[in-house]
Amino acid sequence: QVQLVESGGGLVQAGDSLRLTCAASGRTFSSRSMGWFRQAPGKEREFVAAITSGGSTYYADSVKGRFTISRDNAKNTVYLQMNSLKPEDTAVYYCAADRRLYSVVAVTAGEYGYWGQGTQVTVSS
């Protein structure tokens, strides 16, 4: 079982930066791909970024070059560094853990079996 708790959201201006943190419980953290998804009002949840147990990273085109996902297995934590934020980045951001161990890639919501409660990110123009 994996429990996830996000933090670090807030209200910022366009062009600012934020770092989201996701703290995970459980002994299998280092063996799972971890992802960040977001959901804006009236829209479906969308993939933002993922990092595999091996450290490979994947990004949505909309955030590539601005966001960076990383993980610290010693701390059971995954991060999402968000730079050059835009109003269209406004959403609730969710951390997720792959339902499988040692997956090669996980970029769809269906591949994730564990979700945090979400943290709100609001970017004003």
Side-chain angles (χ1 to χ4, degrees):
Q1 192 75 354
V2 179
Q3 292 183 320
L4 305 170
V5 179
E6 303 99 332
S7 61
L11 171 63
V12 297
Q13 293 187 328
D16 285 351
S17 298
L18 273 178
R19 188 175 80 157
L20 303 184
T21 299
C22 174
S25 66
R27 292 179 289 180
T28 61
F29 173 82
S30 62
S31 305
R32 297 183 189 272
S33 292
M34 297 296 296
W36 287 95
F37 290 75
R38 66 186 181 187
Q39 187 166 18
K43 294 189 176 181
E44 301 218 343
R45 190 170 298 190
E46 65 173 0
F47 169 76
V48 175
I51 184 167
T52 68
S53 58
S56 297
T57 56
Y58 302 86
Y59 297 94
D61 288 343
S62 59
V63 306
K64 204 171 292 183
R66 299 189 298 124
F67 290 11
T68 302
I69 188 171
S70 61
R71 67 190 300 160
D72 185 337
N73 290 333
K75 295 182 178 180
N76 270 23
T77 301
V78 63
Y79 305 97
L80 184 67
Q81 177 67 42
M82 305 185 294
N83 299 329
S84 303
L85 282 161
K86 304 175 181 180
E88 50 264 43
D89 294 319
T90 295
V92 177
Y93 283 71
Y94 297 91
C95 174
D98 196 332
R99 64 177 73 249
R100 306 158 296 175
L101 301 179
Y102 302 112
S103 62
V104 175
V105 62
V107 298
T108 63
E111 294 171 293
Y112 289 85
Y114 307 94
W115 295 84
Q117 81 289 350
T119 185
Q120 176 70 47
V121 172
T122 303
V123 185
S124 64
S125 57

